[in-house]
Amino acid sequence: MSTATSSEPFVHPALFYRGREQYTAGTVPFLVEGLAAGEAVAVAVPGPNLELIKAEMGASAAEVKFLDMTQAGRNPGRIIPGVLRAFADAHPAGRVRIIGEPIWASRSAVEYPACVQHEALINAAFQGREVTILCPYDADGLEPGVLADAYATHPVVIDTGVELTSDAYDPELVVARYNQPLTYPPGAASLSFDAAALPQVRSFAVQEAKQLGLDGDRLQDLTLAVAELTTNSVVHGGGSGTLRIWAEGEQIACEVHDRGRLTDPLAGRRPPARDQLGGRGLMLVHYIADLVRLHTAQDSTTIRFYLNR
């Protein structure tokens, strides 16, 4: 696979596959080449595809780090820091090779914008680093619009063994296009807050979550996420904000809206610099939540997180 030996430090091809045979034909040689070159190799794909690769790799599978993406990457915002960066940073010497499959057919419409933004942001997160990330796409199981987005988020697309340079490649445009306003139901419980009302708004969120059926560790997770986001609003978001919370299917949705503006699209998806103000709380929320969605406008930011009940 010539993309793996590109002269560019960071290489990010998409692999379109149809069926098990094309899947293994496109992934296993990629891994074998990496091992032969002495590269650190990892695979983060949905469980059934993980087992396909393990079976084809045979004894060589012991040299590969395997992660089930439906667990490690359930929240797409966690994939860069918790999967890709975690593995690459653990192997700073020499090139690193990863297969990452963040989009599968059962991803929901609510999850998808965060998934495609993740694919676009990989390019900025790894610019200049000696990393190759191959992203498989099920060309039979995914909608045509998803495959079109793959062309926009990957400079090269591999289809039936042929490498195609993508004329549609424009990751910054994709990030902007999926920066969608977040609507909420009319009955969502809400409370405005400022610095003096932080204890009140946190208590409000906990009581509402309890009434909606959240308990145990998940309730503790919500408490911590709300504390981080409301404090961030007071310190970095104009001094005040509004919290909303409601049930959405089997999940609890909670959001904080304030007058701040996130200018870094990778905020919360990469470790903040030591002297950076903010960013740590949002990363913590990405690790806690099952899904995080953001909307940034010229004069406001909404951060919404979802927790499974």
Side-chain angles (χ1 to χ4, degrees):
M1 182 175 292
S2 61
T3 51
T5 56
S6 167
S7 60
E8 294 295 324
F10 178 57
V11 185
H12 184 211
L15 170 69
F16 286 6
Y17 68 90
R18 297 164 186 84
R20 297 158 60 100
E21 186 175 333
Q22 284 193 11
Y23 190 82
T24 54
T27 56
V28 172
F30 173 83
L31 299 173
V32 171
E33 289 172 10
L35 293 175
E39 298 172 5
V41 177
V43 177
V45 301
N49 289 342
L50 204 69
E51 296 307 316
L52 275 179
I53 292 174
K54 285 183 179 179
E56 288 291 323
M57 291 290 295
S60 298
E63 303 176 60
V64 180
K65 181 177 181 63
F66 289 97
L67 294 168
D68 186 339
M69 189 65 99
T70 64
Q71 299 175 16
R74 185 73 219 177
N75 173 11
R78 195 187 304 149
I79 297 174
I80 289 175
V83 177
L84 306 180
R85 275 287 301 264
F87 184 74
D89 291 351
H91 300 86
R95 177 168 288 277
V96 170
R97 189 178 295 222
I98 305 170
I99 297 177
E101 188 171 359
I103 301 174
W104 49 88
S106 61
R107 282 286 201 187
S108 70
V110 177
E111 293 174 314
Y112 181 69
C115 293
V116 70
Q117 283 187 319
H118 155 76
E119 283 282 60
L121 290 169
I122 287 178
N123 300 284
F126 287 92
Q127 186 175 15
R129 294 195 61 170
E130 291 191 336
V131 177
T132 304
I133 300 176
L134 177 70
C135 300
Y137 281 76
D138 182 355
D140 285 337
L142 296 171
E143 296 292 330
V146 176
L147 302 182
D149 282 338
Y151 276 97
T153 55
H154 297 80
V156 172
V157 173
I158 304 167
D159 195 353
T160 60
V162 178
E163 294 184 12
L164 306 169
T165 300
S166 175
D167 294 334
Y169 179 64
D170 194 342
E172 292 183 2
L173 179 63
V174 171
V175 171
R177 176 153 49 91
Y178 283 95
N179 180 32
Q180 301 166 344
L182 300 173
T183 59
Y184 55 89
S190 66
L191 186 67
S192 296
F193 63 90
D194 56 16
L198 283 177
Q200 180 185 357
V201 74
R202 293 168 186 172
S203 176
F204 169 81
V206 170
Q207 292 306 313
E208 290 293 330
K210 284 182 178 179
Q211 292 182 20
L212 294 170
L214 206 63
D215 58 16
D217 291 343
R218 294 273 74 185
L219 187 61
Q220 293 181 21
D221 289 340
L222 178 131
T223 303
L224 181 55
V226 167
E228 292 291 341
L229 294 180
T230 53
T231 298
N232 189 69
S233 292
V234 167
V235 177
H236 305 293
S240 63
T242 300
L243 179 139
R244 300 184 183 93
I245 183 169
W246 65 93
E248 194 167 302
E250 295 302 313
Q251 295 182 312
I252 302 300
C254 184
E255 70 176 32
V256 174
H257 173 85
D258 60 39
R259 293 175 293 169
R261 183 166 182 254
L262 283 176
T263 57
D264 179 7
L266 280 165
R269 296 177 186 250
R270 64 180 173 190
R274 291 185 178 181
D275 58 349
Q276 178 179 326
L277 295 176
R280 294 167 181 81
L282 181 53
M283 177 170 283
L284 179 61
V285 174
H286 273 298
Y287 275 94
I288 289 172
D290 295 296
L291 175 66
V292 178
R293 293 281 306 275
L294 285 81
H295 174 64
T296 302
Q298 289 293 326
D299 57 355
S300 66
T301 293
T302 302
I303 300 175
R304 178 180 299 175
F305 66 92
Y306 295 80
L307 295 174
N308 295 333
R309 287 189 275 189

